[in-house]
Amino acid sequence: MQELQNVFSGRAFWAAMITLTLLTGYSFIQAVDLYSQASRSAVKYPELARGMVPLEGILVPTLGAFYLASTLLLPFIAIRAIAQDKETGALKLLLQMPLTPAWLVTTKVAAIGIAILALFLPALSFIPIWLYLGGHVHTPELLNLLGGHALYALVVTGIAFLAASLSDSLSTAAIFALACTLSFWVMDFAATASGGVLHRLSFYSLTAALHQFEQGLFSLSAVLAMLLAALALFALTATWLPTGIAIKKKLLISLVIILLVSLAAFGANHARVYIDVTENRRNSFNPADETALCRMQSPLAIWIYLSPEDSRLKEMEANVLGKLRRTVPRLEVNYEDTTGHGLFSSVPDERYGLIIYQYEGKQAESRSNSPREILPLLHELSGTEVKPEKESDYRGYPVVADAAGYGVWFYGILPSLLVFSWWRIWRIGTLSTNRDKRRYFDVCSTKF
Amino acid sequence: MNRNELLRVEDLSKSFSGFKALHEVSFDLRERDILGIIGPNGAGKTTLLECLVGLLSVNSGAVFWKSEPLTNSGRKDVMFYLPEDIVPYQEQPASRLTGFFRDIYDLSHERERDVLFRLQLEKVLTRRVGELSRGYRRRVLLALALLAPKPLLLLDEPFDGLDPRQTVEVANLLREESESGRTFVLSIHQLADAARICNRFLLLVEGKVVGCGTMEELQRQGSVESTNLEAIFFALT
């Protein structure tokens, strides 16, 4: 309770909440505008309507504001929960209480967890507005996406906590935490322009994990990896928070934590449980194809001669490779070095654009990145004949609406309500203590 | 073992990046003692207190509680340290802070009220800690220390920020607490304050103990006849 009061009494929390409301409002109004423009022609042509997916068009762009808030604002709130205790001397008192450092960190995590929920709640008012405008929300997609953002926020909190426990001041901790979260951006950006190790590493970045949820995919390995990362960061925070332990001992404990979590993460990486929560099954092949691919017990090797920035590779990643990774038990993807031999390079390379598949000694080549051509090729290699099952037709949800009028809610009413709540909570401290004071006075009136 | 020995410190040393803040500090503490750690700025008084309570790790040395070795984790069971110049939870009202301590230590409302009354804090209960004057803030912190149900309290500069009347009142309160069974270690740089309340003294200079004992014992150690603590201190240093 003390921790919760500490978080809610801080200006950082309320400032972040108001900023998030403004950001969400802007993202939502822009997203509805773009969605409406695309829907105008889709309303007339059913084929185009299939492409009108609220997850991609509304939910992900609007909740992009949550991503920004978690990356840039949440660290300040989380850091404050620990750094302020260090700066004001409260930590010296807390460490002497009958509480273990682990329990201390747990209470702080719980307080920040509640703060994250409270932070996101007002911004979620865009959902009833979207439904009122005639929009559609597929609940599993929304819950999965919110879960992804919650896990992302939890890991960012862990980074901020560790930064605060290692730093002497709030500002140093903030720089350290922001450097960590922003490095994921840099890693993703660099991976799009270069292949090799950086490209492989980018699969394990925090933003890549969140991206799976944004695509409507529930991946148990991603969930476990994010939970383990958060757990490790909180455990490291609890290790480095106490001041009376020698550095050598802290380093040793940290090493053990990292080792144990790495082992658990290795195991989690093999948790091949994926659920495609999208309404249009965008993350899945036809069930018949998936059954056949699951039966490919020998290693399937793929060599790709495409540069990382080539849009064909990006499409293939989304439409084929990602799905193959989730279905084929033993898949090996090799990104061949195309440096200097790219599409726009002066050095011609005949192999550029080629994709080679090898299974049980048999080999096939193709330049297509479409599953329609690749899947028959793979079935041929494995010697299976597949007859696609008939799937339910996804019709799409075109909506032509104008959300600009709701700017009043996001830019005016909601921020005003938050400012009022801020003021009320600031006052509540005094009000409740007036009650306390009366109680003290009543009982010891003779003394006072 | 002395009959009333409570705490014994043996050869406690602490260095910060090569700088020796404490050098083989040894002393003992008896039940109901009010031990004053006396020394100039930078003598290592705060470092010694933080090492004792386990907030700082030590390079060498040992601490014994009733002749039994006292582990780092076991220290918070028997002692509580109130640092100097801290402003915890400054955005929260004073009563919430004392209430937090009451809840954590499972104390009665009566005990809390008693401490608040004795420190004359009834007027500032509704005010935020950060908005209190230095004297009131110090008394709120003293209330927290007194609420901690530990037999040994370590207070760093407990009279700092208090006016002369308040100093006398707080000194009387500490003496009453001592008579009711509590033991105190006070870090004090005002020798007059120390002489007024402490029954034993530990003189610390540059991290080394230069004298320890009652006023009479210190007189003998310094070969001085004066009962003035300042004169004894200068003789020993």
Side-chain angles (χ1 to χ4, degrees):
Chain A
M1 197 61 190
Q2 183 77 7
E3 291 301 335
L4 205 57
Q5 283 164 351
N6 214 23
V7 172
F8 282 110
S9 63
R11 284 184 288 267
F13 170 77
W14 294 97
M17 206 182 212
I18 292 167
T19 310
L20 179 60
T21 305
L22 299 175
L23 275 172
T24 308
Y26 179 77
S27 308
F28 176 65
I29 291 165
Q30 291 297 311
V32 172
D33 187 38
L34 289 171
Y35 198 84
S36 294
Q37 284 178 34
S39 292
R40 279 194 185 97
S41 45
V43 170
K44 294 174 193 165
Y45 306 103
E47 273 302 313
L48 289 176
R50 280 185 196 143
M52 301 312 301
V53 183
L55 174 69
E56 292 171 27
I58 301 293
L59 296 183
V60 171
T62 307
L63 292 181
F66 282 22
Y67 171 64
L68 274 180
S70 295
T71 308
L72 301 173
L73 303 176
L74 182 62
F76 291 97
I77 299 169
I79 283 169
R80 188 179 174 276
I82 286 183
Q84 187 169 269
D85 281 356
K86 290 176 94 172
E87 284 187 346
T88 61
L91 185 65
K92 286 183 178 176
L93 300 180
L94 290 170
L95 288 173
Q96 297 180 68
M97 288 182 171
L99 309 165
T100 60
W103 179 250
L104 209 59
V105 173
T106 306
T107 56
K108 285 180 186 293
V109 172
I112 293 292
I114 294 169
I116 290 170
L117 286 179
L119 197 67
F120 288 175
L121 219 55
L124 283 178
S125 58
F126 83 89
I127 293 170
I129 295 173
W130 169 241
L131 293 173
Y132 180 74
L133 289 171
H136 168 80
V137 171
H138 185 53
T139 312
E141 286 175 349
L142 176 65
L143 293 178
N144 186 59
L145 187 56
L146 289 175
H149 279 286
L151 284 170
Y152 179 83
L154 194 69
V155 180
V156 170
T157 303
I159 292 170
F161 271 22
L162 182 59
S165 70
L166 291 172
S167 314
D168 286 329
S169 72
L170 204 143
S171 52
T172 314
I175 291 167
F176 183 78
L178 283 179
C180 278
T181 51
L182 294 179
S183 68
F184 292 120
W185 280 3
V186 175
M187 196 194 285
D188 291 346
F189 179 73
T192 56
S194 63
V197 179
L198 212 55
H199 191 248
R200 285 170 195 277
L201 266 179
S202 69
F203 286 120
Y204 300 98
S205 88
L206 195 51
T207 42
L210 177 63
H211 191 55
Q212 293 193 42
F213 294 95
E214 289 181 334
Q215 286 183 322
L217 186 72
F218 174 85
S219 159
L220 184 63
S221 58
V223 170
L224 290 176
M226 289 169 101
L227 283 175
L228 281 170
L231 188 71
L233 290 161
F234 294 138
L236 289 171
T237 305
T239 305
W240 287 88
L241 199 59
T243 49
I245 300 172
I247 301 279
K248 276 182 189 171
K249 193 178 175 186
K250 285 181 178 180
L251 283 172
L252 194 69
I253 296 169
S254 304
L255 206 67
V256 172
I257 291 169
I258 291 167
L259 199 71
L260 287 175
V261 171
S262 301
L263 282 173
F266 183 75
N269 201 30
H270 290 82
R272 297 172 64 86
V273 176
Y274 300 98
I275 302 169
D276 185 358
V277 297
T278 55
E279 203 174 352
N280 60 352
R281 286 181 45 81
R282 62 183 286 194
N283 299 301
S284 312
F285 291 129
N286 185 282
D289 287 316
E290 287 193 342
T291 310
L293 290 168
C294 284
R295 287 188 189 135
M296 294 175 77
Q297 292 304 318
S298 301
L300 168 66
I302 303 175
W303 286 269
I304 301 169
Y305 291 88
L306 285 167
S307 65
E309 68 267 27
D310 197 315
S311 63
R312 286 177 292 174
L313 179 59
K314 290 189 177 78
E315 279 176 27
M316 191 171 171
E317 281 284 356
N319 299 328
V320 181
L321 292 174
K323 296 174 189 178
L324 285 179
R325 282 192 185 94
R326 294 191 286 274
T327 46
V328 178
R330 295 165 74 186
L331 179 72
E332 185 193 321
V333 181
N334 303 290
Y335 299 91
E336 291 303 304
D337 183 19
T338 54
T339 319
H341 303 286
L343 188 60
F344 305 107
S345 166
S346 56
V347 185
D349 184 349
E350 286 181 356
R351 290 180 305 171
Y352 190 81
L354 195 66
I355 300 152
I356 301 170
Y357 305 89
Q358 195 178 66
Y359 185 74
E360 290 182 339
K362 289 177 275 181
Q363 192 167 302
E365 293 181 3
S366 167
R367 286 182 183 271
S368 171
N369 64 355
S370 161
R372 285 183 188 174
E373 289 189 39
I374 294 168
L375 288 178
L377 207 140
L378 293 178
H379 296 323
E380 198 181 316
L381 282 176
S382 63
T384 49
E385 199 172 312
V386 176
K387 193 179 174 188
E389 287 177 19
K390 187 166 170 54
E391 293 184 89
S392 58
D393 197 22
Y394 179 76
R395 291 174 303 155
Y397 296 94
V399 173
V400 179
D402 183 13
Y406 291 95
V408 178
W409 170 250
F410 289 108
Y411 305 143
I413 298 171
L414 206 47
S416 305
L417 285 173
L418 291 174
V419 171
F420 178 72
S421 307
W422 182 358
W423 176 77
R424 284 291 298 166
I425 285 186
W426 178 250
R427 290 269 302 156
I428 276 172
T430 313
L431 292 175
S432 69
T433 52
N434 272 331
R435 281 200 301 275
D436 286 348
K437 193 178 175 182
R438 276 199 297 277
R439 200 179 64 228
Y440 291 126
F441 281 147
D442 289 345
V443 180
C444 351
S445 53
T446 47
K447 287 180 178 176
F448 286 138
Chain B
M1 173 191 156
N2 292 327
R3 192 168 53 85
N4 293 329
E5 185 186 281
L6 193 69
L7 183 91
R8 193 170 75 248
V9 178
E10 285 184 1
D11 299 328
L12 205 70
S13 293
K14 172 70 185 171
S15 300
F16 295 104
S17 311
F19 168 73
K20 279 201 167 182
L22 294 176
H23 184 72
E24 294 178 357
V25 172
S26 299
F27 65 94
D28 61 5
L29 197 61
R30 296 164 201 159
E31 277 176 10
R32 299 183 195 184
D33 261 357
I34 301 183
L35 177 80
I37 302 178
I38 318 291
N41 290 337
K45 302 188 291 290
T46 301
T47 306
L48 175 58
L49 294 181
E50 296 200 348
C51 285
L52 281 179
V53 83
L55 285 175
L56 279 178
S57 60
V58 295
N59 298 102
S60 61
V63 179
F64 298 86
W65 180 260
K66 293 180 178 172
S67 297
E68 295 292 323
L70 191 56
T71 59
N72 215 4
S73 57
R75 295 187 194 184
K76 61 181 172 186
D77 295 334
V78 295
M79 58 179 95
F80 185 85
Y81 162 62
L82 182 67
E84 186 195 6
D85 277 343
I86 60 167
V87 197
Y89 305 111
Q90 47 192 299
E91 285 165 353
Q92 295 193 27
S95 70
R96 194 168 283 165
L97 200 55
T98 57
F100 174 50
F101 264 62
R102 180 197 64 220
D103 293 341
I104 276 282
Y105 289 116
D106 200 19
L107 303 170
S108 66
H109 284 271
E110 203 169 42
R111 170 67 182 152
E112 184 197 3
R113 279 191 299 269
D114 183 51
V115 170
L116 293 175
F117 171 74
R118 289 165 78 183
L119 284 161
Q120 297 171 15
L121 287 168
E122 65 274 21
K123 287 178 189 167
V124 296
L125 285 176
T126 57
R127 289 176 59 191
R128 293 177 210 287
V129 176
E131 294 167 358
L132 296 177
S133 68
R134 201 156 174 231
Y136 269 121
R137 199 187 300 155
R138 195 67 203 154
R139 279 191 274 166
V140 168
L141 293 173
L142 278 170
L144 300 184
L146 293 175
L147 283 171
K150 311 291 171 193
L152 174 59
L153 294 184
L154 316 175
L155 311 180
D156 197 355
E157 301 292 354
F159 307 114
D160 222 21
L162 302 182
D163 61 37
R165 181 185 291 273
Q166 290 167 347
T167 302
V168 171
E169 285 166 357
V170 169
N172 290 338
L173 176 61
L174 297 186
R175 208 172 287 121
E176 281 173 35
E177 286 282 324
S178 163
E179 282 162 10
S180 63
R182 269 185 161 175
T183 308
F184 288 89
V185 176
L186 314 178
S187 158
I188 304 177
H189 71 271
Q190 291 289 344
L191 296 179
D193 293 339
R196 184 184 296 138
I197 182 171
C198 302
N199 63 334
R200 293 183 70 224
F201 305 89
L202 178 79
L203 307 189
L204 205 61
V205 176
E206 293 179 351
K208 291 177 188 167
V209 176
V210 293
C212 184
T214 60
M215 191 74 88
E216 295 74 31
E217 287 166 344
L218 288 177
Q219 276 176 292
R220 280 198 296 276
Q221 285 170 34
S223 306
V224 284
E225 288 182 3
S226 168
T227 54
N228 185 307
L229 185 60
E230 197 172 75
I232 297 170
F233 179 76
F234 286 129
L236 283 166
T237 57

